[in-house]
Amino acid sequence: MVTAYVDGRYLPLAEARVSPMDRGFLFGDGAYEVIPVYSRRAFRLDEHVARLANTLGAMRLPNPHAAEEWKALILELVARNPWDDQSVYLQVTRGADTRRNHAFPGPEVKPTVFLMSEPLVTPSAGQRASGIAAVSAADIRWLRCDLKTVSMLANCLLRQHAIDQGCMETVLFRDSFLTEGAASSIFVCKDGVLLVPPKSHLMLPGITYDVVLELARSHGMKHAVREVLEAEVRSADELWMTSSTKEVLAITTLDGRPVGDGKPGPMGRQMHAWYQDFKNTVMRNG
Ligand code: PDD
């Protein structure tokens, strides 16, 4: 049985309910996190809880829990679910008012808190061996992409744009610069240097993005955090997508053209190996 959590209660996911008046449903007025769990240890939990607090603060939604309470809720949900490796989804909305009104409700309306967990599915051996196909599109999202809100229509349209073409991810450009993927961070390798745009209001501050840069730094892989031109992406030797669930995954075709020689490259293979090693030695052992 899959256990979820809604507003103070753990219950079977199939029995979980929220009101249709919930502002998450009516307005997409909520924040979320996706937290990978390895061997029942939530990876970078402090960082995920801090990112949630940052999103809630920017949304002017009072955080319903202190960091320690969030951590206890998440770990209890992990303990109540059957898998060792999980992907915990956590959502907070501005709650359910009695009327539909764009303006925020009064303090009597409490935020809705929902958590669920799924088995963590990382890329298959086949996807890792051949890499994945991506397309590109203009980044049509708003100017607060640093916030992890549930207002995800643009991301869904952009991801579906890839799926419709038999691809897995859409690489986004704004004004001829790389931002990120529809649901991932994008790294570029050019002439032996790993490139990634700096964090800004135009991209999500990825937890995996941080891990990849830390690994590059600690192992001495040449890297630069700077604006990346669309032209540099199109002439890259390697492209990777990274996220909590996709880890480090090579993109081997972009818009139907091969990236580099069309196979996962040496820098990506190296980073993937460092990431797996880090996962098995650090993440699984707390
Ligand atoms: N998405 N950028 C966007 C737009 C994302 O949606 C995600 C992750 C990332 C990578 O962030 P992280 O490394 O912290 O997972 C970057 C999650 C997995 C999702 O929406 O399911």
Side-chain angles (χ1 to χ4, degrees), residues 249-268:
L249 186 58
I251 296 172
T252 44
T253 70
L254 182 65
D255 294 328
R257 285 183 289 275
V259 177
D261 63 4
K263 299 194 198 84
M267 291 176 71

Side-chain angles (χ1 to χ4, degrees), residues 32 34 48 51 141 148 152 155 180-185 204-209 242-245:
Y32 80 103
V34 176
H48 281 281
R51 186 170 67 182
R141 300 172 304 162
K148 206 159 173 63
M152 293 284 283
N155 298 71
E180 58 179 343
S184 62
S185 308
L204 188 81
I207 306 283
T208 320
Y209 168 110
T242 74
S243 77
S244 293
T245 50

Side-chain angles (χ1 to χ4, degrees), residues 1-281:
M1 185 192 69
V2 181
T3 299
Y5 171 96
V6 184
D7 291 339
R9 230 162 45 93
Y10 293 94
L11 72 182
L13 179 60
E15 291 171 22
R17 299 282 180 273
V18 293
S19 165
M21 292 303 287
D22 194 279
R23 291 178 63 95
F25 183 63
L26 293 179
F27 296 115
D29 186 359
Y32 80 103
E33 280 294 322
V34 176
I35 304 159
V37 173
Y38 299 105
S39 304
R40 298 197 176 266
R41 290 176 197 274
F43 178 58
R44 298 254 157 139
L45 188 50
D46 288 327
E47 288 81 351
H48 281 281
V49 169
R51 186 170 67 182
L52 175 70
N54 183 58
T55 300
L56 292 172
M59 292 173 61
R60 299 168 54 194
L61 203 173
N63 194 332
H65 293 296
E68 291 311 312
E69 292 170 350
W70 278 121
K71 286 158 66 175
L73 280 180
I74 293 162
L75 294 178
E76 179 66 26
L77 184 84
V78 169
R80 287 176 185 245
N81 276 295
W83 319 284
D84 287 342
D85 288 5
Q86 304 183 23
S87 171
V88 170
Y89 176 84
L90 179 169
Q91 175 169 336
V92 185
T93 76
R94 211 181 302 272
D97 205 349
T98 49
R99 296 179 47 233
R100 180 178 177 276
N101 181 2
H102 289 64
F104 296 173
E108 70 285 358
V109 173
K110 299 294 174 220
T112 302
V113 176
F114 168 61
L115 284 87
M116 66 172 174
S117 190
E118 296 173 338
L120 180 64
V121 180
T122 52
S124 65
Q127 284 173 328
R128 285 207 314 275
S130 54
I132 60 102
V135 291
S136 68
D139 193 341
I140 55 169
R141 300 172 304 162
W142 70 331
L143 297 177
R144 290 309 305 271
C145 293
D146 54 323
L147 305 179
K148 206 159 173 63
T149 80
V150 297
S151 311
M152 293 284 283
L153 177 59
N155 298 71
C156 293
L157 285 168
L158 289 165
R159 176 54 76 84
Q160 190 61 35
H161 177 66
I163 305 300
D164 289 346
Q165 295 170 72
C167 296
M168 198 162 136
E169 182 57 305
T170 301
V171 176
L172 304 177
F173 298 114
R174 200 188 279 266
D175 302 329
S176 301
F177 286 96
L178 171 66
T179 54
E180 58 179 343
S184 62
S185 308
I186 303 290
F187 285 81
V188 177
C189 300
K190 183 79 187 155
D191 300 327
V193 182
L194 179 62
L195 303 173
V196 74
K199 289 180 185 173
S200 75
H201 60 293
L202 300 179
M203 58 137 67
L204 188 81
I207 306 283
T208 320
Y209 168 110
D210 287 340
V211 176
V212 167
L213 282 179
E214 283 167 31
L215 290 170
R217 222 171 281 132
S218 63
H219 290 279
M221 179 181 272
K222 278 193 203 154
H223 61 281
V225 178
R226 62 153 173 86
E227 300 296 350
V228 180
L229 286 162
E230 177 174 344
E232 293 179 297
V233 175
R234 296 202 182 279
S235 62
D237 301 322
E238 298 182 31
L239 288 180
W240 317 335
M241 63 184 286
T242 74
S243 77
S244 293
T245 50
K246 298 295 181 296
E247 303 183 335
V248 179
L249 186 58
I251 296 172
T252 44
T253 70
L254 182 65
D255 294 328
R257 285 183 289 275
V259 177
D261 63 4
K263 299 194 198 84
M267 291 176 71
R269 277 203 306 275
Q270 178 64 80
M271 183 55 73
H272 182 263
W274 288 333
Y275 194 93
Q276 295 310 309
D277 185 52
F278 183 68
K279 184 166 104 179
N280 292 326
T281 55

